[in-house]
Amino acid sequence: MAAFWLAAAPGPAVARDPLVLQLKWLADAQFAGYFVADAKGFYRKAGLDVTIKPGGPDIAPMQVLASGGADVAVDWMAAALAARDAGTPVVNIGQVFQHSGLQLTCRRDRLVRRPADLKGKTVAVRFDGNEYPFLAWMAKLGLTTGGDKPDVTVLRQGAGVELLIEGRAACISTMSYNEYWQVIDAGLKPAQLHVFRYDDDEGVATLEDGLYTLSSQLGDPAMQDRLARFLRATVAGWRFAIAPGNQDEAVRIVLRHATADAPASNPKEAKRMLREVAKLVAGNRHGIGHLDPAAYERTVDVLLSSSASPVIHRRPEGAWTHAVWERAFTR
């Protein structure tokens, strides 16, 4: 790898190629690899000048990408395939999260300990992509979520966890690296909770944080080269960030960018988040950032069957490519 950085490093008079990255959410440890790649000079050594734009509740990464506001966006595959189904030609060029962190966290005092117990309960779900695997799971269980007398009453969940803490919902959607720990910090103990993990238990997980660009970018050889350099530097950033001996430094880097409203804006919370995120990044035999086609197909199957109104209406074609990965790591 050292040879790559040496070969890619521009001379002092050579301008670096600009590239804009749009994140899915606020700046926190969920995106540590990108901030580390920037701070440690991996992007610079790859001949890139990368601008990292944080996301938020009012920012849809696929819309930013479609409007030309970014060259690459981090988003969940459900949102990307829905955008593609609607006519935006987005393509996955790398998959950072190999596992799903989405889960349904329930209170045991509401007598929810197995899937059948959800019938007759009120469940809160965030409608920003989190709903798709949930609706697929309910369909798989034969439980209705709509109509006058649904089997499961679904509330729209905001960014907080108050609905569970205050008992207004028996269960809420949580991420393993974020809201679950907000529940614990609010006073509930793990023994008081039952967690249904979409990835491990329910078989309805969809791929989460991936890297997307427009198909037109891939048609430009110069941009494809730029994207390959970006992917390789990003993978280096993630390798550094999740290594146990580097996590304290990675957290310090992240916290330079975090705002007070970020989910983990202090060192303790940020390190805990990064530790959980590291579990989701690892696990592909080809390495960080490589899309597993089988995981892609499982995601498509979930999205096609998620409800009476599926997220996508046809099996996508050309929605992902290994071309950028291969250019980054095999040439």
Side-chain angles (χ1 to χ4, degrees):
M1 182 172 292
F4 168 82
W5 297 125
L6 182 61
V14 177
R16 296 191 296 274
D17 294 322
L19 188 142
V20 178
L21 171 67
Q22 174 65 60
L23 302 182
K24 176 176 173 56
W25 194 243
L26 302 170
D28 58 30
Q30 179 182 351
F31 310 106
Y34 311 105
F35 292 119
V36 166
D38 187 41
K40 300 294 288 184
F42 298 160
Y43 289 140
R44 176 181 57 79
K45 292 175 183 177
L48 298 172
D49 181 10
V50 175
T51 300
I52 302 174
K53 298 170 64 174
D58 299 321
I59 297 175
M62 293 299 99
Q63 292 181 12
V64 175
L65 199 61
S67 67
D71 299 299
V72 182
V74 180
D75 210 341
W76 284 18
M77 185 168 281
L81 293 184
R84 187 176 179 88
D85 197 66
T88 302
V90 296
V91 180
N92 180 296
I93 60 170
Q95 186 60 41
V96 176
F97 281 18
Q98 304 296 328
H99 305 282
S100 170
L102 184 61
Q103 50 195 24
L104 194 70
T105 297
C106 305
R107 296 179 60 133
R108 285 182 175 267
D109 62 6
R110 293 302 181 90
L111 304 179
V112 180
R113 303 181 185 188
R114 56 196 180 97
D117 296 335
L118 293 169
K119 186 171 184 178
K121 301 298 192 298
T122 297
V123 174
V125 179
R126 287 177 59 178
F127 278 72
D128 57 0
N130 294 23
E131 75 274 22
Y132 303 138
F134 171 78
L135 294 173
W137 182 28
M138 294 301 99
K140 183 178 178 180
L141 295 173
L143 297 175
T144 61
T145 57
D148 295 334
K149 296 181 179 180
D151 295 323
V152 179
T153 300
V154 178
L155 300 179
R156 285 184 174 266
Q157 180 180 333
V161 298
E162 296 83 3
L163 290 172
L164 187 72
I165 300 302
E166 296 170 2
R168 288 181 280 157
C171 311
I172 64 170
S173 294
T174 62
M175 301 304 298
S176 62
Y177 52 83
N178 188 357
E179 292 88 358
Y180 173 80
W181 296 102
Q182 292 180 33
V183 171
I184 300 300
D185 290 342
L188 289 178
K189 296 178 172 56
Q192 296 175 287
L193 305 170
H194 184 85
V195 178
F196 297 101
R197 294 179 175 83
Y198 288 60
D199 203 30
D200 299 335
D201 303 330
E202 309 312 326
V204 292
T206 58
L207 287 171
E208 294 168 5
D209 290 26
L211 294 168
Y212 295 87
T213 192
L214 296 177
S215 59
S216 57
Q217 302 273 51
L218 295 171
D220 178 354
M223 178 55 77
Q224 189 174 130
D225 175 71
R226 191 178 306 184
L227 293 170
R229 285 183 278 137
F230 166 77
L231 182 58
R232 185 160 186 167
T234 293
V235 168
W238 274 110
R239 285 175 179 158
F240 184 97
I242 67 175
N246 297 335
Q247 290 187 13
D248 286 338
E249 181 180 356
V251 163
R252 289 194 294 272
I253 290 171
V254 168
L255 290 179
R256 295 175 199 162
H257 302 272
T259 56
D261 54 352
S265 55
N266 65 64
K268 179 183 176 181
E269 293 173 354
K271 188 170 183 180
R272 183 174 64 189
M273 177 181 279
L274 180 56
R275 186 172 62 245
E276 294 299 321
V277 164
K279 299 174 184 177
L280 307 182
V281 172
N284 188 306
R285 64 186 179 88
H286 295 286
I288 296 170
H290 188 272
L291 174 65
D292 177 4
Y296 163 81
E297 293 295 344
R298 287 194 297 271
T299 295
V300 170
D301 289 341
V302 169
L303 299 181
L304 285 169
S305 65
S306 62
S307 67
S309 300
V311 182
I312 57 177
H313 300 85
R314 63 192 68 84
R315 190 165 290 274
E317 295 182 5
W320 64 274
T321 180
H322 281 156
V324 176
W325 170 273
E326 292 167 356
R327 188 181 186 106
F329 294 101
T330 64
R331 293 189 180 186

